[in-house]
Amino acid sequence: MKNPGGLATADDVLRSSKGIIYGAGNQSFSWVLSAFLFVANNIVVGVPFITVLGKSAKNKKRGGSRRCIRRNRLMASALLLNLAMLSEIGQVLKVQVPVLLLAGNISTIISFFFSLILLEEIFSTAAPMTWTVAYSLVGRNASKNKYRLIILALTIITFVISQVPFGQLVAVIYPITGYIGVILIFLIIGREIYDFVKHNRSTENSAELAENMKVGLANDATKDK
């Protein structure tokens, strides 16, 4: 963060700016809704990976402490990144890739290498998602040729959509997937409540059945006497 003093004026700059495209919506959205939709959007994006990982997991508690540390590191990094962008908010509002601008403010060499990192991250995210979606569409028993054909079709569709300016994609795709994510969040919460209630009822029924069996055995023993 080369301009920490910019944090003091960030709110005034945002209030005086018009046509701001938030991270998960367009200029008609508030930043609160934008933040909520962004979280929901990331849940939708992560579902294909989470389901595959969940199927292969052997122990739900395995690596819990490590995951907690990683999540905290990720949140700390995101906080620092957002503070850095707010400190340069006047410049950030003019570009579509703010992190690349911040890297350029430090050094052109860092900016060059960071652009390569961004390309690698784009590929490392897009490729597995394409493979996962293709795998979900064709199923386990599909032939390799069908699987490759689906991947090719998805790649062509993705390439065509990628020709739209990044800002427009953010303003359209993020809200759509965000609202889908909101629905998904409520479905997950509802399923957890359903499983919890079902488990409690099953436990109560099992306890009641055991108690009835004990009473029955006691009655049988009394009759035998």
Side-chain angles (χ1 to χ4, degrees):
M1 189 185 302
K2 298 184 67 176
N3 183 30
L7 294 173
T9 59
D11 185 62
D12 295 333
V13 174
L14 288 172
R15 290 180 183 277
S16 62
S17 301
K18 296 181 180 180
I20 300 176
I21 298 179
Y22 290 104
N26 54 37
Q27 58 268 25
S28 64
F29 290 152
S30 69
W31 66 268
V32 177
L33 180 59
S34 175
F36 187 73
L37 291 179
F38 184 78
V39 173
N41 169 77
N42 280 274
I43 291 177
V44 173
V45 173
V47 163
F49 300 103
I50 296 172
T51 51
V52 174
L53 292 175
K55 291 179 181 179
S56 60
K58 297 180 180 179
N59 188 349
K60 293 182 178 180
K61 297 182 179 180
R62 184 179 180 182
S65 59
R66 293 183 179 180
R67 288 196 297 268
C68 183
I69 294 174
R70 291 170 183 169
R71 286 194 293 265
N72 290 335
R73 288 178 178 175
L74 179 61
M75 288 188 293
S77 300
L79 175 61
L80 292 175
L81 179 60
N82 278 275
L83 289 176
M85 288 193 292
L86 286 173
S87 68
E88 302 286 352
I89 192 64
Q91 300 181 52
V92 165
L93 291 177
K94 300 176 183 178
V95 297
Q96 296 190 14
V97 188
V99 287
L100 191 58
L101 170 70
L102 297 177
N105 289 343
I106 299 174
S107 168
T108 54
I109 297 177
I110 293 178
S111 177
F112 171 75
F113 283 105
F114 191 74
S115 63
L116 297 179
I117 294 174
L118 285 178
L119 292 174
E120 186 275 333
E121 289 179 346
I122 292 172
F123 176 80
S124 63
T125 302
M129 288 188 66
T130 303
W131 299 333
T132 305
V133 172
Y135 177 79
S136 301
L137 291 175
V138 300
R140 295 183 178 181
N141 300 323
S143 63
K144 290 185 177 180
N145 290 334
K146 185 177 181 180
Y147 180 68
R148 292 169 181 170
L149 183 63
I150 293 295
I151 290 179
L152 178 61
L154 290 173
T155 303
I156 294 174
I157 294 172
T158 303
F159 177 78
V160 172
I161 296 176
S162 67
Q163 304 308 303
V164 179
F166 180 72
Q168 294 182 21
L169 285 176
V170 169
V172 175
I173 294 179
Y174 270 35
I176 294 175
T177 54
Y179 287 122
I180 295 174
V182 172
I183 298 173
L184 183 61
I185 289 173
F186 283 111
L187 289 176
I188 293 173
I189 295 174
R191 182 54 189 261
E192 289 295 323
I193 295 174
Y194 172 79
D195 290 342
F196 177 77
V197 173
K198 184 178 180 181
H199 174 73
N200 286 344
R201 287 181 179 177
S202 177
T203 303
E204 292 175 358
N205 292 336
S206 299
E208 184 179 354
L209 179 61
E211 185 65 26
N212 291 335
M213 290 180 65
K214 289 181 180 180
V215 173
L217 291 173
N219 292 335
D220 293 339
T222 303
K223 291 179 180 180
D224 292 339
K225 290 180 180 180

